[in-house]
Amino acid sequence: MISIKSPREIELMKQAGHINYLTHQELAKHIRVGITTGELNDIADKFMREHEGKPSCLNYEGFPKSICISVNDEVVHGIPGNRKLKNGDVVSIDFCVEYKGYQSDAARTYIVGSAPKEIEDFVKYTEESLYVGIKKVKPGAKVSDIGASIEKYAKDHNLGVVRELVGHGLGTSIHEDPDVPNYYTNMPTILKEGMVIAIEPMLTFGKRYVYMKDDNWTIATEDGLPAAHFEHTVVVTKDGYEILTGE
Ligand code: MF3
Ligand code: CO
C-alpha cells in the first residue's frame, strides 16, 4: 500500500530532510585523504543528534553504524570502520535521518582529492541521472517513467545500472511501497500528490553485476570497478515535486 502524506507529515519529513542535508554538508567538509570512514560516521552521528535528528540506519536490521560509506568497488551499505581514505577514492555516503518519527534518505558520492577524468565524469553522470529521474515526478506520471529515464541516461553514457537494489517510498519507515527501480519495468503504479519517494540511482563504471561481501552488508561490483550513488527524498506536489533533502 502506498501512503499519501498529510501536509503535517510532509512538514515533518521536510524537517527530517533538512537535517539530512545539513549532515551531508557537514561531512563534505571533512572528506579528505587520511580520515577514516569510522571518523566520518562519528561526525555524522554527533551532528544529527545535535540537530534533533536520529541516525536511523543504526541498528536497522542490525546495521552496526549510523551511516553507510561505500568506497570504490563498493556500491552501497558499506560499514564505516578504520579504513583510511586515499587520493582518488570514490566514496559514497548514504544515510537516513529520523525527526519526530519521520524519515529522510539521501546519498552522495565524492572523489577524494583527484581521479582520472573518466572517473570524475562517471560520478557527475551518476548525479545527473538522479535529476533526470526526479524531473519525471508529477501527479499522474508512472513510477516506471523514473527508472526508464535513468536507465536511458546511463546507457547513453555507457554506464551500468545496478538492478538488485531500488529506490523506495518512505515515511514513518525507511522503506515503504512503492519500489522505485532505476531501470524500465512495466509496473503500472501512478504517482499522486502527497506520495514521498527516495530516488537513488546506483551506477557502475564497468558491468552492472554485484555481490555481497563477507560482512553480509556491503554490496560491491563483481568486476571491482567503481560504483557511484546519488539519492534524494522527494515529495509529489500538486504540479510536480519538491526535493526534501536538498538545499
Ligand atoms: N539508504 C539506505 C537504503 O535505502 C540505507 C538503509 S540503512 C541500512 O537501503 F542500515 F540498511 F544501511
Ligand atoms: Co534509500
Side-chain angles (χ1 to χ4, degrees):
M1 210 227 6
I2 306 176
S3 70
I4 302 291
K5 274 74 181 178
S6 69
R8 176 190 149 270
E9 291 181 295
I10 291 166
E11 193 47 48
L12 291 171
M13 294 191 80
K14 245 178 227 182
Q15 301 287 338
H18 189 59
I19 304 166
N20 192 311
Y21 166 77
L22 293 175
T23 308
H24 272 290
Q25 293 296 93
E26 179 64 21
L27 284 171
K29 296 186 212 158
H30 293 274
I31 293 168
R32 59 183 144 73
V33 173
I35 195 164
T36 68
T37 54
E39 286 166 332
L40 290 169
N41 176 81
D42 296 349
I43 290 166
D45 182 282
K46 181 163 177 278
F47 188 91
M48 285 181 220
R49 293 178 197 279
E50 283 170 359
H51 291 78
E52 290 182 75
K54 188 180 143 206
S56 31
C57 287
L58 184 61
N59 298 324
Y60 177 80
E61 292 182 7
F63 189 76
K65 290 286 180 175
S66 300
I67 64 174
C68 302
I69 307 185
S70 311
V71 183
N72 296 334
D73 61 309
E74 299 173 354
V75 184
V76 287
H77 300 167
I79 303 173
N82 46 30
R83 180 179 192 152
K84 274 195 168 73
L85 296 183
K86 298 196 301 285
N87 186 60
D89 278 349
V90 177
V91 181
S92 299
I93 300 189
D94 177 21
F95 52 84
C96 302
V97 178
E98 182 182 327
Y99 177 75
K100 297 193 176 166
Y102 285 85
Q103 301 291 342
S104 61
D105 191 357
R108 300 183 189 174
T109 297
Y110 298 90
I111 289 170
V112 181
S114 61
K117 187 176 182 302
E118 48 181 4
I119 300 294
E120 304 258 1
D121 287 346
F122 158 58
V123 173
K124 269 191 221 126
Y125 292 143
T126 305
E127 181 167 23
E128 189 54 35
S129 79
L130 168 60
Y131 291 96
V132 165
I134 288 175
K135 283 181 188 136
K136 295 288 172 187
V137 174
K138 61 176 181 196
K142 284 189 282 189
V143 172
S144 64
D145 294 342
I146 299 169
S149 68
I150 291 171
E151 182 175 43
K152 180 177 187 307
Y153 186 86
K155 203 169 174 214
D156 287 347
H157 292 90
N158 203 21
L159 302 171
V161 177
V162 173
R163 300 175 70 93
E164 285 76 1
L165 299 117
V166 296
H168 48 93
L170 70 169
T172 53
S173 309
I174 297 176
H175 296 127
E176 295 183 358
D177 287 340
D179 279 355
V180 184
N182 299 301
Y183 48 87
Y184 172 80
T185 61
N186 58 10
M187 208 165 81
T189 314
I190 302 286
L191 291 167
K192 296 196 178 82
E193 185 180 354
M195 288 181 181
V196 180
I197 56 174
I199 302 176
E200 51 176 319
M202 290 151 264
L203 303 190
T204 60
F205 188 67
K207 297 214 183 314
R208 69 171 176 83
Y209 302 106
V210 298
Y211 72 101
M212 192 181 300
K213 288 194 170 177
D214 288 339
D215 61 15
N216 271 317
W217 273 104
T218 311
I219 306 291
T221 58
E222 268 187 20
D223 61 13
L225 293 173
H229 180 207
F230 284 85
E231 173 174 27
H232 272 311
T233 300
V234 172
V235 59
V236 184
T237 60
K238 191 166 176 294
D239 4 75
Y241 61 86
E242 187 181 343
I243 297 174
L244 301 185
T245 44
E247 208 165 327

